[in-house]
Amino acid sequence: MAGSAPVTTVVRRTGVTSLHVFCLVLVVAILARPWLEQVLLAPVVRTAATVFVAVCVQALPFLVLGVLLSGAIAAFVSPAVLRRVLPDRPGRAVPVAGVAGMALPGCECASVPVARRLIGQGVPDAVALTFLLAAPAVNPVVLVATAVAFPGEPGMVVARGLGSLATACVMGWLWQRVGRAEWIADRARRAVEPAVGGGRWAVLAETARHDLVSAGGFLVVGALVAAVLSVLVPPAWLDALAGQLVLAVLVLAVLAVLLALCSEADAFVAASLSVLPLLPRLVFLVVGPAVDVKLIALQAGAFGRGFAARFAPATFVVAVLCAVGAGLLVIGAR
């Protein structure tokens, strides 16, 4: 009919939404309130909650400081600065890139795109990969956090710095000797232009927000694991593991890969495992920032799956050996 208004058909979507889930959880919580009160007041739960809160509260300031520094670097420091100060010969540039990690700190997630940008700007692969491993492991935020987590044990700070720096340099030299250009995907060699829009302060805020959300989740997971281990694992198991130094080293090395903690917060999780000797906990701190499940995924996306399949296992072995060597040299077998 002329002049009549168009008929609008409203299609109602059916299905389970987040509101339905929330209501269901709320109803279950109300019905199960007496049982929940008994569970939450149990000594085991209170102990686990204390450990969880302690790890989060201790680590959070260093995590925030780390992501702010990472955001500032993304906004105000160009990777071209590192390229200009590197020596021409890759063999000499590798340790320089490792030491540069102290001046240009960043979390593991941030170091992957920076390394890719370096490769895209023509920096030798070995040098960029050295920086990738060094930046999240030997920067001042991580070392200060380690000192706070292990009061009275300055050797842990020195051993962690030496072990992480050695891991980065050895992997750089190893890649220079046996690495092949075709192992890195072609997309990583294309120059990556930084995103623009909103100015440098907007870049800082967005980078810090992204890193905080990402790393904060891993911190919560790590704190939960530390809390669970503190109450569910029988003390006899930890005592037995503490008496088997080689086994403890291997177990904590694998645990570091699986937990994928942020390097600004992992020291507090390691400190909570006080029953174990210092050497296995040092291995945990050196292996974690060098290779873990999230880093393997990020490296596969940035440099290709073939690269990750070769680089990650080699890094794991080198990190364990360097951590054990630095630990025996600085803190001994304890």
Side-chain angles (χ1 to χ4, degrees), residues 81-101 118 122-134 165 168-174 176:
V81 174
L82 178 61
R83 186 182 58 181
R84 286 197 297 265
V85 302
L86 291 173
D88 294 332
R89 297 181 60 180
R92 296 179 179 177
V94 163
V96 175
V99 175
L118 289 171
V123 172
D125 298 346
V127 178
L129 296 177
T130 300
F131 180 81
L132 182 150
L133 295 175
L165 183 60
C169 292
V170 169
M171 282 303 301
W173 286 320
L174 184 63
Q176 182 189 358

Side-chain angles (χ1 to χ4, degrees), residues 63-163:
L63 181 60
V64 172
L65 178 58
V67 299
L68 287 176
L69 288 175
S70 177
I73 290 167
F76 299 104
V77 180
S78 170
V81 174
L82 178 61
R83 186 182 58 181
R84 286 197 297 265
V85 302
L86 291 173
D88 294 332
R89 297 181 60 180
R92 296 179 179 177
V94 163
V96 175
V99 175
M102 301 183 67
L104 298 176
C107 71
E108 298 93 319
C109 301
S111 65
V112 173
V114 171
R116 178 180 177 179
R117 191 178 304 169
L118 289 171
I119 292 177
Q121 291 183 340
V123 172
D125 298 346
V127 178
L129 296 177
T130 300
F131 180 81
L132 182 150
L133 295 175
V138 300
N139 67 73
V141 177
V142 170
L143 297 181
V144 171
T146 305
V148 174
F150 290 90
E153 292 289 349
M156 284 292 288
V157 181
V158 177
R160 181 176 192 179
L162 288 177

Side-chain angles (χ1 to χ4, degrees), residues 49-63 148 219 223 268:
T50 300
V51 174
F52 173 78
V53 173
V55 172
C56 289
V57 169
Q58 285 183 306
L60 189 59
F62 297 97
L63 181 60
V148 174
L219 170 60
F268 299 96

Side-chain angles (χ1 to χ4, degrees), residues 5-328:
V7 177
T8 302
T9 302
V10 178
V11 179
R12 296 182 180 274
R13 297 196 311 172
T14 60
V16 178
T17 65
S18 58
L19 180 59
H20 297 142
V21 175
F22 174 76
C23 292
L24 178 61
V25 172
L26 186 61
V27 171
V28 172
I30 293 173
L31 296 177
R33 179 180 175 183
W35 178 79
L36 288 175
E37 288 179 346
Q38 293 180 356
V39 171
L40 294 177
L41 292 177
V44 172
V45 176
R46 286 185 292 178
T47 301
T50 300
V51 174
F52 173 78
V53 173
V55 172
C56 289
V57 169
Q58 285 183 306
L60 189 59
F62 297 97
L63 181 60
V64 172
L65 178 58
V67 299
L68 287 176
L69 288 175
S70 177
I73 290 167
F76 299 104
V77 180
S78 170
V81 174
L82 178 61
R83 186 182 58 181
R84 286 197 297 265
V85 302
L86 291 173
D88 294 332
R89 297 181 60 180
R92 296 179 179 177
V94 163
V96 175
V99 175
M102 301 183 67
L104 298 176
C107 71
E108 298 93 319
C109 301
S111 65
V112 173
V114 171
R116 178 180 177 179
R117 191 178 304 169
L118 289 171
I119 292 177
Q121 291 183 340
V123 172
D125 298 346
V127 178
L129 296 177
T130 300
F131 180 81
L132 182 150
L133 295 175
V138 300
N139 67 73
V141 177
V142 170
L143 297 181
V144 171
T146 305
V148 174
F150 290 90
E153 292 289 349
M156 284 292 288
V157 181
V158 177
R160 181 176 192 179
L162 288 177
S164 298
L165 183 60
T167 299
C169 292
V170 169
M171 282 303 301
W173 286 320
L174 184 63
W175 190 269
Q176 182 189 358
R177 295 278 296 181
V178 302
R180 297 180 182 178
E182 58 267 25
W183 290 350
I184 297 180
D186 292 336
R187 62 176 179 272
R189 302 193 182 280
R190 293 192 290 267
V192 180
E193 296 297 332
V196 295
R200 295 183 182 272
W201 290 105
V203 174
L204 188 156
E206 178 60 24
T207 302
R209 183 200 63 80
H210 175 272
D211 289 351
L212 181 61
V213 171
S214 176
F218 291 110
L219 170 60
V220 170
V221 172
L224 283 174
V225 171
V228 169
L229 290 176
S230 67
V231 296
L232 294 186
V233 177
W237 290 12
L238 292 178
D239 292 338
L241 189 61
Q244 302 290 331
L245 192 60
V246 176
L247 181 60
V249 166
L250 295 178
V251 168
L252 285 196
V254 174
L255 189 63
V257 175
L258 297 178
L259 286 185
L261 298 178
C262 180
S263 58
E264 284 95 358
D266 57 1
F268 299 96
V269 176
S272 68
L273 304 174
S274 56
V275 177
L276 298 178
L278 290 177
L279 184 59
R281 289 186 281 170
L282 173 65
V283 172
F284 178 86
L285 296 178
V286 173
V287 171
V291 53
D292 59 40
V293 289
K294 76 172 185 298
L295 269 177
I296 294 173
L298 289 171
Q299 292 170 4
F303 305 111
R305 287 178 293 180
F307 168 85
R310 296 174 175 89
F311 190 75
T315 303
F316 178 81
V317 174
V318 170
V320 171
L321 294 177
C322 290
V324 171
L328 293 176

